[in-house]
Amino acid sequence: EVQLVESRGGLVKPGGSLRLSCAASGFTFSSYSMNWVRQAPGEGLEWVSSISGLSNYIYYADSMKGRFTISRDNAKNLVFLQMNNLRPEDTAVYYCARGQTYEYFDYWGQGTLVTVSS
Amino acid sequence: SYELTQPPSVSVSPGQTAKITCSGDALSNQYGYWYQQKPGQAPVLMIYKDNERPSGIPERFSGSGSGTTVTLTISGVQAEDEADYYCQSTDSSATYVIFGGGTKLTVL
């Protein structure tokens, strides 16, 4: 059974940093791209970033470029999202999702709430 | 920039057919995908590659695509289908993922 479990988010001050992780199980982790998608309170889904199975392809949404960094550890079946210089508008539930051919997401974690506020 | 446009809301009576459209230039040469999201839950993939249904998804859910529009059809709508539905696609090089704004399906 495919399982994706995000680490606990939390409250961060504007300008602060936070690192999210997602633990994957139930599939051959290195064979799949992994992704982060976020959802601000009461809003729709917004793609954040994608990383290929061997980390040779990495993509970001424009609004996250330069502030967010995605990475993965295939030995530990983990994917990370390092978020720096956080802004109040980054407040959202962050979902980890398994990717299919970089085109869509077939399994999702339950999400973790990140709140950016002073 | 690429955008996908969905109606904000669709209402339907139980047993009727609901159609949710999604339009955008990206869909002219990229596939469309559909996700269902119920309150407080993670999204669930309902349709991939315009009209393919993942295992475990009820047959009443179907998808179609034509030109720059993809459509999610729910035949014989049930109360449990009340949810937000999001379409998704990519840019032509599949390096940028786009979501529609979402459609709230209300079962009357």
Side-chain angles (χ1 to χ4, degrees):
Chain A
E1 178 192 8
V2 173
Q3 285 197 319
L4 300 170
V5 180
E6 297 94 343
S7 59
R8 182 175 296 183
L11 175 64
V12 183
K13 287 183 168 52
S17 298
L18 187 66
R19 187 197 200 202
L20 301 179
S21 63
C22 170
S25 61
F27 63 100
T28 303
F29 184 67
S30 61
S31 296
Y32 292 85
S33 69
M34 294 301 295
N35 310 268
W36 291 95
V37 177
R38 72 182 184 182
Q39 185 171 34
E43 301 295 324
L45 301 173
E46 181 183 24
W47 170 70
V48 173
S49 182
S50 299
I51 185 168
S52 61
L54 299 181
S55 304
N56 45 343
Y57 297 101
I58 290 175
Y59 308 112
Y60 298 97
D62 288 343
S63 58
M64 269 63 88
K65 278 181 187 173
R67 298 190 303 123
F68 290 10
T69 302
I70 192 171
S71 61
R72 64 190 294 162
D73 183 340
N74 286 348
K76 297 181 179 179
N77 287 7
L78 293 169
V79 60
F80 305 98
L81 185 67
Q82 175 68 44
M83 303 184 290
N84 297 329
N85 191 20
L86 284 162
R87 307 164 179 165
E89 54 265 36
D90 294 318
T91 294
V93 173
Y94 286 75
Y95 293 101
C96 165
R98 189 178 82 166
Q100 284 287 354
T101 64
Y102 309 108
E103 294 185 2
Y104 66 101
F105 314 119
D106 58 354
Y107 289 94
W108 297 63
Q110 281 305 301
T112 187
L113 176 62
V114 174
T115 303
V116 184
S117 174
S118 54
Chain B
S1 65
Y2 292 98
E3 292 184 351
L4 296 176
T5 301
Q6 301 178 232
S9 63
V10 169
S11 299
V12 64
S13 299
Q16 299 301 305
T17 296
K19 289 183 181 290
I20 301 174
T21 59
C22 173
S23 299
D25 290 341
L27 296 171
S28 63
N29 54 18
Q30 296 296 108
Y31 287 119
Y33 307 91
W34 290 96
Y35 302 89
Q36 177 194 70
Q37 187 181 35
K38 296 182 178 179
Q41 297 183 19
V44 174
L45 178 68
M46 304 302 284
I47 296 290
Y48 65 99
K49 293 186 179 180
D50 286 356
N51 57 19
E52 300 288 335
R53 194 173 50 248
S55 61
I57 302 303
E59 291 184 5
R60 63 180 181 274
F61 290 89
S62 63
S64 62
S66 179
T68 58
T69 299
V70 292
T71 301
L72 173 69
T73 300
I74 312 171
S75 303
V77 167
Q78 300 181 6
E80 67 198 51
D81 300 331
E82 187 164 282
D84 293 326
Y85 291 85
Y86 293 91
C87 64
Q88 178 248 306
S89 188
T90 66
D91 68 333
S92 56
S93 56
T95 60
Y96 198 95
V97 174
I98 320 151
F99 284 99
T103 297
K104 181 175 180 59
L105 175 69
T106 300
V107 181
L108 301 171

